[in-house]
Structure formats: structure tokens, C-alpha cells
Amino acid sequence: MKLSDNKATLSFSNGKASVELPVYEGTIGPDVIDIRKLYGQTGMFTYDPGFLSTAACQSAITYIDGDKGELLYRGYPIEQLAEKCDYLDTCYLLLKGELPNAQQREDFHQLVLKHTMVNEQMQFFLRGFRRDAHPMAVLTGLVGGMSAFYHENTDIHNPEHRDRAAIQLIAKMPTLVAMAYKYGKGEPYMYPQNNLSYAGNFMRMMFGTPCEEYKVNPVIEKALDRIFILHADHEQNASTSTVRLCGSSGTNPFAAIAAGVACLWGPAHGGANEACLNMLEDIQKMGGVAKVGEFMEKVKDKNSGVRLMGFGHRVYKNYDPRAKLMQETCNEVLAELGLENDPLFALAKKLEQIALEDDYFVQRKLYPNVDFYSGIVQRAIGIPVNLFTGIFALARTVGWIAQLNEMIADPEYKIGRPRQLYTGSPRRDVP
């Protein structure tokens, strides 16, 4: 963070003395006005619901330019990472700041893969949940419960503890997600097999059974790995901010990540691809492809209450850079599995075509986003809709940890304490 020669002056119309505020420059992106001393100088707070114009921290991890449709991890464009790296390479980059060399890559992959097993008692912990519980409810409990099983790594101010917790969370999250899935199905849990890749291991734990040898399909393996890369981090979104705010109290890393999982569950955030698939299934029940035009007309009518899920993005005012990569993967997976003519996927293609050609959607830049395509890919692979957000949480875990570790190491870090504009009753006495 570099102090700018530029300064901001805040003046008041009631004759109160004006205040000069310093301005800081980032590497790229908007400058920020430093208002840390504003209350002391003026007795006022700023008001910014949703923090849409507030930088709550400085970070060197992820950068988004919504107008250009650009996403960078540690300076590298997401498109290049998705094409040239795997998910564990991306994890190394997000955690350590640089891509690994050949030896570092081998060591890091081995380190993660040898920590994939979870404490055997986690199986008994699972039995406390109903079989039909939502996987995100189960996952929130399991991740939070990890602090009881791995309590030796819970001092957030100890860098070695943070490093160990990071590896444990990245390594064990696929095992926990697969266990939540198997528990819901009533199938036996599959122990990890560490000679497989990170994505291949997850596929086997999800879809394998003890009855026969599971063979990893390389097209599906690559698709899952890409989903993980594209969801690994996304700047200061709701769940990342939740992890930072939770971690700012000094709580242990497992509790902070569990808070992120809980936040991610919401349909406006990580549950967006689940909401998208539910929308497609609703249109299918209405009559499928023949009713797409009618559905899109309802979307245009503000009074209809019908929303188009999986299109547009709060941050990207251009095409979501992750969506194009996911679109390619989507087409590869459907072709590999012979699902190009599946009714639901044909419906999704028609929806995509209208959104890309119709002036109403083009002018509003309501392009298909990553959730639209990743939901289709996951359904094709055989992942149930209610587990989509669990896959998202698995992928995002490394981003949450990287952000949490960055915050704790920041000398300016303080416990989070947002302010408010109070609009309740003034002081009064009980009669």
C-alpha cells in the first residue's frame, strides 16, 4: 500500500472545519481514501450498506476488474492457471504467493495427499445427523468439529499451527464432502487413495464402492479440477469477509472456515448453482424447451417475480472470465458422457442462446456466469444438486485460509467492529 500524493478533502455545509484525508494506491485498481481517523476528527461514521464502496483490508491475493471481466490470482490471469496448472498448484500459489517449482510441486502434492484421512470418530459424529439432512448442514458441523479432533493446530497466532491447519483443511475437505454424500445415500465410506490426484481421489470417494475397483475418467477428473481452480478464491466476497471477521476475534482456523461454509450456503452466494439447476428443472416441468421463450418473457416483466438464475454477476459488468472456461469444460463433459441431447441440458443450451442473443439481456450484460455452467457440469457428473454448494466450499477452502492467514499476519489487523446508523427510539425512562 503506497501513500499517494493526492489527498481528499471532506467539507461540510454547516460551517464545520473541513478534514483532509490521505489517499493510498494499490498495485492496480481503485485508490482508497483512508477514513480511519474520520470519527476522531469529525464525530461521524461513513454509511455504506453492503460495503459496496468500502475496502475493509489490504490484500495481495486476488484481484477482480469487473468492468474488464478480469480475475487474477496473485497476478496470474485465471484463464492461464486453468489451462496450465492443476488445483494443488493453485493452492500453493494462493498460500505462498508464487507458483511452485518442480521440487516444491512434488513436495506440496505429497504433503496434502498424505493428510487426506480424517479421524475415525468423524464417522460417529456423522451418525448424529438425519440421513436426509442438507449436506451443507452436515458439512458446517463437520468442519467446525475438526477443531475438537485437531486441537493441536488451533492457535491462530502461531504461524506453524496456521500452516498445519491449512494443509489439514485442504486435504480433508474432499473426504468430508464425500462422507456427507455417502452418509445421505446410506453407502459405505470410501477411504482416500493417495496414489490418485486430488480430483481423482475425490471422485473415487464419491462414486466408488468397496465392491469393485473404481476407474477415474480423465475428462471428468480434469473438469472437477477446473471447477476447483475457478472457485478457489474471489476477493472479498461474503463468505471470505465472514472468515476474516470471524478469524479477527482470534478463534481457531477450523471455526473460522466453518463460518465461511455457513455463509456460502446462501442462494445468493455459493448456493447460486443449486438455484440455477432448480430453475432449469422447474422450466422442464412447465414444458421444457418449448416454454423457454415464455419463461424469458416473464423474466423481462419486473412484476412477474420470475428471476433468471445463473446469469449476470454483482461484480462482473462484463462476461465472467470463469464462465468461458466452464463453458468449454461443460461441452467436453457432455460429449464424453453422451449427454448432448439430454432434455435438461438441451433446455440449458436454449436458455443460454436466448440470453446471448436477446437485446434485453445483452444490453444489461446478463451473460451466463460460472454458476450456470458449473451446475450443468456437476449434474452431468452425477453430483446431486444439494451437494453443489459443498463442492464450492471444498474448492474455496484454500482461498479462505489464504485470506485468513494474510489478515493475521497483517500488522494493521484488528478485531472487526462495523459501525451503524442508529434509527431506534431515543433514550427514555421506564415508567
Side-chain angles (χ1 to χ4, degrees):
M1 191 165 69
K2 176 187 168 190
L3 185 63
S4 172
D5 294 334
N6 192 18
K7 287 185 172 58
T9 303
L10 180 64
S11 56
F12 302 88
S13 58
N14 61 1
K16 202 172 183 179
S18 61
V19 176
E20 196 173 78
L21 301 167
V23 173
Y24 287 93
E25 300 173 355
T27 311
I28 44 178
D31 295 346
V32 298
I33 301 169
D34 184 352
I35 59 167
R36 283 175 288 185
K37 296 181 179 177
L38 182 68
Y39 179 64
Q41 292 174 319
T42 67
M44 293 183 182
F45 302 138
T46 56
Y47 182 64
D48 183 22
F51 310 110
L52 300 187
S53 297
T54 299
C57 64
Q58 54 176 305
S59 180
I61 299 170
T62 310
Y63 174 74
I64 298 169
D65 188 323
D67 294 327
K68 290 181 182 175
E70 184 176 65
L71 171 61
L72 308 178
Y73 289 174
R74 299 285 191 181
Y76 292 105
I78 189 67
E79 297 88 342
Q80 294 178 22
L81 293 170
E83 293 289 347
K84 299 178 180 179
C85 301
D86 69 13
Y87 177 66
L88 288 184
D89 296 339
T90 306
C91 289
Y92 188 98
L93 171 68
L94 290 172
L95 290 172
K96 300 183 181 292
E98 298 293 341
L99 285 168
N101 61 33
Q103 187 60 54
Q104 290 168 334
R105 184 180 192 275
E106 184 180 342
D107 292 346
F108 185 76
H109 278 62
Q110 286 184 2
L111 181 62
V112 171
L113 291 173
K114 81 176 187 183
H115 282 91
T116 49
M117 282 179 53
V118 298
N119 190 296
E120 198 73 0
Q121 285 180 259
M122 295 293 270
Q123 293 188 26
F124 305 112
F125 187 19
L126 264 168
R127 291 182 190 175
F129 294 99
R130 287 171 51 129
R131 292 275 180 185
D132 61 353
H134 195 289
M136 285 299 282
V138 175
L139 200 56
T140 304
L142 289 178
V143 175
M146 283 179 74
S147 54
F149 291 96
Y150 304 101
H151 52 82
E152 72 279 8
N153 297 327
T154 55
D155 181 359
I156 205 166
H157 299 291
N158 184 322
E160 288 184 10
H161 284 204
R162 292 202 304 270
D163 287 346
R164 284 206 299 268
I167 297 300
Q168 287 180 324
L169 277 158
I170 294 165
K172 297 179 194 304
M173 189 64 87
T175 311
L176 295 179
V177 173
M179 285 174 71
Y181 171 66
K182 289 291 197 184
Y183 179 74
K185 289 196 75 180
E187 290 185 359
Y189 307 118
M190 295 292 286
Y191 288 108
Q193 195 165 302
N194 295 343
N195 62 322
L196 297 174
S197 71
Y198 188 85
N201 200 5
F202 177 63
M203 287 169 62
R204 181 181 171 277
M205 289 190 291
M206 282 282 291
F207 303 120
T209 69
C211 310
E212 56 193 15
E213 193 63 34
Y214 180 81
K215 187 171 181 185
V216 175
N217 181 321
V219 175
I220 309 303
E221 181 182 24
K222 179 186 171 189
L224 263 179
D225 195 78
R226 179 167 283 189
I227 287 173
F228 296 161
I229 291 172
L230 298 182
H231 289 86
D233 197 48
H234 209 239
E235 218 190 68
Q236 305 307 316
N237 53 77
S239 58
T240 298
S241 300
T242 298
V243 169
R244 277 183 173 262
L245 190 60
C246 183
S248 75
S249 72
T251 191
N252 71 77
F254 302 106
I257 301 306
V261 173
C263 180
L264 191 71
W265 191 356
H269 192 9
N273 49 16
E274 183 176 343
C276 176
L277 255 290
N278 289 335
M279 175 194 72
L280 290 175
E281 287 173 353
D282 289 342
I283 300 171
Q284 186 66 22
K285 289 172 190 171
M286 288 165 43
V289 172
K291 295 290 183 179
V292 170
E294 185 181 317
F295 175 82
M296 294 299 253
E297 288 304 314
K298 287 181 182 176
V299 170
K300 295 178 190 180
D301 180 2
K302 291 182 181 176
N303 299 317
S304 71
V306 175
R307 291 186 62 201
L308 182 62
M309 306 303 296
F311 289 77
H313 196 281
R314 183 177 179 180
V315 173
Y316 297 112
K317 306 308 174 193
N318 204 317
Y319 207 88
D320 181 342
R322 302 167 300 170
K324 181 168 176 47
L325 295 158
M326 207 67 248
Q327 182 190 44
E328 293 170 6
T329 298
C330 184
N331 291 331
E332 288 169 7
V333 168
L334 296 184
E336 172 68 17
L337 299 176
L339 291 172
E340 302 99 321
N341 298 320
D342 179 276
L344 202 68
F345 300 132
L347 171 60
K349 289 288 182 187
K350 186 64 179 174
L351 209 64
E352 175 190 36
Q353 180 191 345
I354 293 175
L356 292 175
E357 293 176 359
D358 189 302
D359 282 345
Y360 177 89
F361 299 103
V362 172
Q363 286 172 12
R364 289 164 176 76
K365 297 184 177 177
L366 292 174
Y367 303 114
N369 60 35
V370 70
D371 298 311
F372 180 75
Y373 294 114
S374 68
I376 295 169
V377 171
Q378 289 179 72
R379 184 183 184 275
I381 290 171
I383 295 167
V385 173
N386 67 359
L387 195 64
F388 287 1
T389 317
I391 305 294
F392 194 158
L394 186 170
R396 183 56 58 85
T397 294
V398 67
W400 289 333
I401 296 166
Q403 297 273 352
L404 179 63
N405 288 352
E406 181 182 62
M407 179 194 72
I408 299 299
D410 186 345
E412 293 185 336
Y413 130 77
K414 296 178 176 63
I415 185 171
R417 182 46 170 98
R419 299 294 196 162
Q420 66 175 20
L421 175 64
Y422 178 68
T423 56
S425 171
R427 178 192 163 96
R428 51 186 171 169
D429 296 321
V430 177

